[in-house]
Amino acid sequence: GDSVTQMEGPVTLSEEAFLTINCTYTATGYPSLFWYVQYPGEGLQLLLKATKADDKGSNKGFEATYRKETTSFHLEKGSVQVSDSAVYFCALSINQAGTALIFGKGTTLSVSS
Amino acid sequence: DVKVTQSSRYLVKRTGEKVFLECVQDMDHENMFWYRQDPGLGLRLIYFSYDVKMKEKGDIPEGYSVSREKKERFSLILESASTNQTSMYLCASRTGTRGTGANVLTFGAGSRLTVL
């Protein structure tokens, strides 16, 4: 079945370090891909998305490129801040009405000053 | 902005009690979802609803039921709460027109349930 695998955390970085969180997927058809972020004590919110191969999603300095050949959607940021400390979830959705998002297990990022 | 409101942020219940978790969205979304979130397991889908009075089982429906009598409201019911249902419960919604896979889920803030 469809699934998402993301790197296990926690990931601990110093401020201004480069961030990569790996995400790979297995899906039939052509899914849409998402990164959601969950700040402490809050629900999930969309960080970025890509709906077709080679699309690049970007937001708040984060980027991810939909790579069909490697079935990947890795999240990157050039210079992290303390405020980026959160849990990051990779997710996919098959483009059919009435289907649900499938999430990875989440990666906890902790950034220290 | 779409708002998804979960009625209770924190609940403490006893084993065997019936528990209702309520979720309301204000943007006329067709699709609504209930997930549970546990450390190391990520988000797992319990039930979803793609229209009023319609429901579909997710990956872990056992021990849960749902109700969608009105478009804006999706309730999760634990008929007889057990300690292994202690968790964070997240409600979400999205528009349900054709090609909704690319549409974004909007989440509520979550309901943390503790069953003693």
Side-chain angles (χ1 to χ4, degrees):
Chain A
D2 302 331
S3 66
V4 174
T5 302
Q6 60 183 105
M7 63 187 286
E8 294 188 17
V11 175
T12 304
L13 295 173
S14 298
E15 209 165 21
E16 299 184 3
F18 184 85
L19 169 71
T20 300
I21 300 177
N22 291 337
C23 172
T24 58
Y25 67 90
T26 302
T28 53
Y30 302 95
S32 295
L33 301 173
F34 304 81
W35 277 100
Y36 279 79
V37 59
Q38 184 179 35
Y39 298 105
E42 299 182 13
L44 276 70
Q45 56 185 273
L46 178 72
L47 181 59
L48 52 85
K49 73 174 189 180
T51 58
K52 61 183 187 297
D54 300 325
D55 266 3
K56 178 186 281 188
S58 61
N59 186 25
K60 299 181 181 180
F62 291 89
E63 293 182 340
T65 301
Y66 189 150
R67 301 284 187 203
K68 188 170 183 295
E69 63 276 12
T70 55
T71 62
S72 65
F73 193 55
H74 304 321
L75 182 68
E76 296 182 336
K77 187 174 186 182
S79 176
V80 294
Q81 305 300 312
V82 172
S83 57
D84 293 327
S85 298
V87 183
Y88 293 82
F89 292 92
C90 186
L92 71 81
S93 179
I94 301 301
N95 292 327
Q96 292 177 3
T99 58
L101 244 64
I102 298 168
F103 286 87
K105 293 185 178 181
T107 303
T108 299
L109 171 65
S110 178
V111 181
S112 59
S113 58
Chain B
D1 282 351
V2 176
K3 284 197 177 159
V4 178
T5 304
Q6 296 183 231
S7 56
S8 304
R9 289 298 304 273
Y10 300 95
L11 303 94
V12 179
K13 299 292 182 180
R14 297 209 174 272
T15 302
E17 281 192 76
K18 190 169 186 175
V19 181
F20 292 87
L21 299 179
E22 305 287 345
C23 175
V24 176
Q25 49 92 6
D26 66 359
M27 281 298 289
D28 203 36
H29 283 174
E30 290 82 3
N31 293 182
M32 296 188 75
F33 305 81
W34 276 107
Y35 289 88
R36 66 176 278 178
Q37 180 181 9
D38 300 288
L41 297 177
L43 274 72
R44 293 179 292 167
L45 182 66
I46 305 171
Y47 268 98
F48 67 100
S49 168
Y50 49 87
D51 206 344
V52 176
K53 296 191 186 293
M54 307 298 283
K55 61 185 179 184
E56 291 283 341
K57 292 181 179 179
D59 299 319
I60 52 164
E62 296 79 17
Y64 303 94
S65 62
V66 290
S67 172
R68 183 108 182 261
E69 295 297 317
K70 293 185 177 182
K71 194 174 187 179
E72 67 271 18
R73 187 180 297 272
F74 191 37
S75 302
L76 180 68
I77 303 156
L78 288 67
E79 295 289 343
S80 177
S82 63
T83 55
N84 63 12
Q85 291 178 311
T86 292
S87 187
M88 170 70 86
Y89 291 88
L90 294 170
C91 176
S93 73
R94 73 177 177 197
T95 187
T97 53
R98 185 173 296 279
T100 57
N103 290 353
V104 174
L105 279 186
T106 300
F107 282 85
S111 297
R112 184 167 293 282
L113 171 66
T114 301
V115 183
L116 302 176

